[in-house]
Amino acid sequence: MNCQVFISGGGIGGLLLGYKLAAQGICVCVIEQLAKPSHVYKGELLQPKSLALLKEAGLLSKVEKCGQKIHHIDVVELDNDENDVLMKMKLGYEQLSPFINYALMVPHEELKEIIRNEAMKLDEFTFIAPARLIGFENSRAIVEKDKKSFHIKADYFIGAEGRRSPTRDQMRLKLKKKHYNHQYLTATLPRPPALTEGKIISTHNRFIGLFPLPNQQVRTVYLINHGEYPLIKKKGLRFLQKEFNELAPELLEYTLALNDWSKIQLMTPLTYHVNRYVDNHFAIIGDAAHAVHPIAGQGMNLAMQDAAILGELLCSVYQSHHERPSLKAYEHVRRKRNEFVLKISDQSALLYSFRFHLFQRLRIRSMKNLGNDHRLHFKHILNISGLGLSHLSLGDYFVQSSLLPARKKPLKNLSRYFFNKENDYPWKY
Ligand SMILES: Cc1cc2nc3c(=O)[nH]c(=O)nc-3n(C[C@H](O)[C@H](O)[C@H](O)COP(=O)(O)OP(=O)(O)OC[C@H]3O[C@@H](n4cnc5c(N)ncnc54)[C@H](O)[C@@H]3O)c2cc1C
């Protein structure tokens, strides 16, 4: 079998890339090892940049129909004994105006289904599932399907297989994994009607995240120590319901739905980042190249953003009549942005990793300063939105750590902080 671009892995990254290429008339073959949608929770929060990319691809209105918009995230710190509110602030996407100024919670498999169904309408798109990439031989992919193997010849081979990537192995890239001292328990519960925005509630030693989903549901994420899950199981579901109710009293009665361990998934955070994304006619995107701590809801967004940039580059390669741009341009644009998001997600995770009163006090101070200082607040939201990247200045660090007072003057000329077409697709300029 022949195609122009072979993509191994029909996850969010592989599908978006395949769709983008096929829509531009490039012959694509996507293979996926799973026969049907997986029930594993794999992230639902779409950041504004991913929404902008879906808009560019003409898919946003379909996706929005099955999503729940989030305009801000309430961050609340509680006293453990009295449940008194020690601090409350809003992390608002609203300030990203006039760009897309909200995030969207969309069930992962529904998002994939929308992209896959749209792609399947295109003649240039071939989807083979279940089929598994097992390696490469003489510049061909070896694919196994129904216990038989066959070869696929292509100009370019893209690895979008997630954390275990045979394409990454072929490129001889090594992973250095970072593990954390904590894990999360995640479950979907029915949602109180008033809970329509994101919410993070913590005490000095407990943490719960609530993110509203469509159909009156809410994603809950509860922090535990690494390896604590068997102990929690021993304590029983009643214990877990009580913990949820204490931290988020609005969930009372809704936590009764937490009545079976099969409804709860254990999430183990992990971080890694390879040093190259491209090797000759091979490239990797998404979790094949990097894994990010889930606290900032970035994983699937990075995969989509990789797919969009590589997709645009491959389109330029096939459309160019003179000098063809190198695939390295994709690595050039994406690697430093991903590195930055990995770093800020890691820092956010550390803020909640150490369960002492001192850490809670530091967190409260830092979040209060962030809420009071327009510049810090804007930069923080911009960085998690994916719409731009702004390093903190020395002044920002001083304000965040209370060495300088919050600044009253807002930043001027905000549009210069957002990525423009030249930043996203520099090879075109
Ligand atoms: C438990 C968990 C929770 C997460 N929570 C969040 C979150 O809250 N927010 C967030 O943004 N991100 C989260 N993520 C990360 C997010 O799921 C990933 O970053 C994102 O899905 C990456 O997309 P991808 O397309 O690169 O890889 P994947 O989504 O992993 O897709 C890879 C696909 O390739 C297929 N595949 C693998 N090997 C082969 C092969 N040899 N041949 C053919 N097909 C193959 C797989 O079956 C899979 O369908 C979470 C991940 C996990 C595992």
Side-chain angles (χ1 to χ4, degrees):
M1 184 180 169
N2 286 358
C3 60
Q4 287 174 296
V5 179
F6 168 83
I7 301 171
S8 162
I12 201 74
L15 287 173
L16 188 63
L17 176 62
Y19 171 71
K20 206 171 155 68
L21 295 174
Q24 292 296 317
I26 295 166
C27 173
V28 187
C29 174
V30 179
I31 64 155
E32 167 54 48
Q33 65 180 358
L34 299 177
K36 51 183 195 299
S38 147
H39 295 296
V40 178
Y41 164 66
K42 283 187 101 178
E44 292 143 340
L45 185 64
L46 284 173
Q47 298 286 358
K49 178 70 176 181
S50 309
L51 297 176
L53 295 173
L54 289 170
K55 192 173 177 190
E56 250 176 64
L59 298 171
L60 184 60
S61 55
K62 281 208 166 71
V63 173
E64 276 189 350
K65 279 191 192 132
C66 54
Q68 167 79 25
K69 282 187 184 173
I70 291 189
H71 304 90
H72 63 258
I73 298 170
D74 288 314
V75 182
V76 183
E77 291 280 349
L78 296 178
D79 177 276
N80 222 0
D81 304 321
E82 308 294 332
N83 251 21
D84 287 342
V85 176
L86 301 176
M87 195 246 2
K88 195 171 176 185
M89 61 91 65
K90 253 187 200 104
L91 273 177
Y93 284 102
E94 291 100 336
Q95 32 188 329
L96 297 171
S97 214
F99 294 85
I100 292 186
N101 60 352
Y102 55 90
L104 195 73
M105 285 289 287
V106 186
H108 195 87
E109 289 300 329
E110 280 183 40
L111 176 63
K112 278 168 57 181
E113 198 182 320
I114 291 174
I115 303 173
R116 194 171 47 236
N117 286 348
E118 287 304 304
M120 300 282 252
K121 292 180 189 162
L122 303 166
D123 291 342
E124 305 294 341
F125 185 86
T126 305
F127 186 70
I128 310 176
R132 198 172 140 73
L133 174 74
I134 50 175
F136 294 91
E137 196 178 66
N138 301 329
S139 300
R140 286 159 191 222
I142 313 167
V143 176
E144 197 176 71
K145 183 168 171 53
D146 303 329
K147 294 190 181 148
K148 289 186 190 136
S149 68
F150 63 99
H151 289 80
I152 298 184
K153 194 166 179 273
D155 301 335
Y156 295 98
F157 298 92
I158 313 300
E161 306 99 341
R163 294 183 179 182
R164 281 197 198 150
S165 164
T167 310
R168 183 179 66 218
D169 296 341
Q170 169 73 17
M171 292 163 68
R172 295 176 202 280
L173 295 170
K174 293 262 176 297
L175 291 190
K176 202 170 146 209
K177 293 180 185 168
K178 174 174 176 178
H179 298 274
Y180 292 84
N181 66 355
H182 54 266
Q183 292 173 303
Y184 296 95
L185 298 182
T186 180
T188 310
L189 296 183
R191 158 163 71 88
L195 182 63
T196 53
E197 299 292 341
K199 196 165 182 182
I200 290 173
I201 308 147
S202 47
T203 69
H204 78 275
N205 61 357
R206 296 186 289 174
F207 168 102
I208 193 168
L210 309 176
F211 294 89
L213 281 161
N215 302 323
Q216 294 304 317
Q217 292 191 309
V218 58
R219 159 75 42 207
T220 60
V221 187
Y222 174 72
L223 179 75
I224 62 169
N225 286 325
H226 196 281
E228 198 188 356
Y229 192 34
L231 193 73
I232 290 181
K233 273 192 150 177
K234 262 193 196 157
K235 289 182 182 170
L237 284 164
R238 278 275 175 81
F239 164 78
L240 208 55
Q241 288 171 353
K242 192 168 149 276
E243 284 287 290
F244 277 43
N245 294 342
E246 278 177 19
L247 287 166
E250 63 262 57
L251 287 186
L252 199 76
E253 82 184 86
Y254 296 90
T255 50
L256 291 175
L258 215 53
N259 54 10
D260 193 327
W261 291 106
S262 67
K263 294 187 178 168
I264 298 166
Q265 188 185 310
L266 178 69
M267 263 166 72
T268 303
L270 175 73
T271 304
Y272 58 78
H273 198 185
V274 296
N275 56 2
R276 275 185 298 124
Y277 294 180
V278 171
D279 185 6
N280 209 351
H281 287 195
F282 293 90
I284 48 176
I285 62 170
D287 276 18
H290 41 71
V292 57
H293 190 286
I295 195 160
Q298 293 290 345
M300 83 174 165
N301 294 280
L302 299 189
M304 290 171 73
Q305 290 161 30
D306 286 354
I309 302 287
L310 180 60
E312 196 68 28
L313 178 61
L314 282 164
C315 290
S316 297
V317 167
Y318 281 104
Q319 283 155 7
S320 88
H321 301 295
H322 307 291
E323 203 180 319
R324 289 185 159 190
S326 146
L327 288 200
K328 278 274 174 197
Y330 149 64
E331 182 181 306
H332 180 72
V333 174
R334 288 301 304 158
R335 199 177 177 287
K336 55 181 185 288
R337 292 188 193 179
N338 289 335
E339 185 67 31
F340 183 72
V341 172
L342 257 72
K343 194 173 119 197
I344 57 172
S345 302
D346 184 60
Q347 285 168 351
S348 307
L350 289 180
L351 275 181
Y352 292 94
S353 293
F354 302 102
R355 322 254 203 111
F356 308 117
H357 285 286
L358 173 70
F359 255 81
Q360 188 184 30
R361 282 202 291 275
L362 288 174
R363 217 165 49 220
I364 289 176
R365 194 172 71 177
S366 156
M367 292 310 281
K368 260 189 189 164
N369 293 337
L370 197 142
N372 291 335
D373 188 278
H374 179 270
R375 297 178 186 204
L376 265 179
H377 196 168
F378 170 76
K379 285 187 178 182
H380 188 75
I381 281 290
L382 177 80
N383 289 337
I384 63 171
S385 75
L387 289 171
L389 186 162
S390 179
H391 292 276
L392 296 196
S393 65
L394 203 58
D396 295 330
Y397 279 116
F398 281 178
V399 172
Q400 186 142 26
S401 49
S402 300
L403 292 171
L404 283 178
R407 294 154 293 191
K408 293 286 164 246
K409 270 194 191 162
L411 282 169
K412 279 192 193 144
N413 194 4
L414 290 186
S415 57
R416 74 195 150 112
Y417 290 94
F418 292 85
F419 294 133
N420 57 27
K421 294 255 181 266
E422 198 171 340
N423 302 134
D424 282 349
Y425 314 124
W427 62 90
K428 291 190 181 184
Y429 295 83

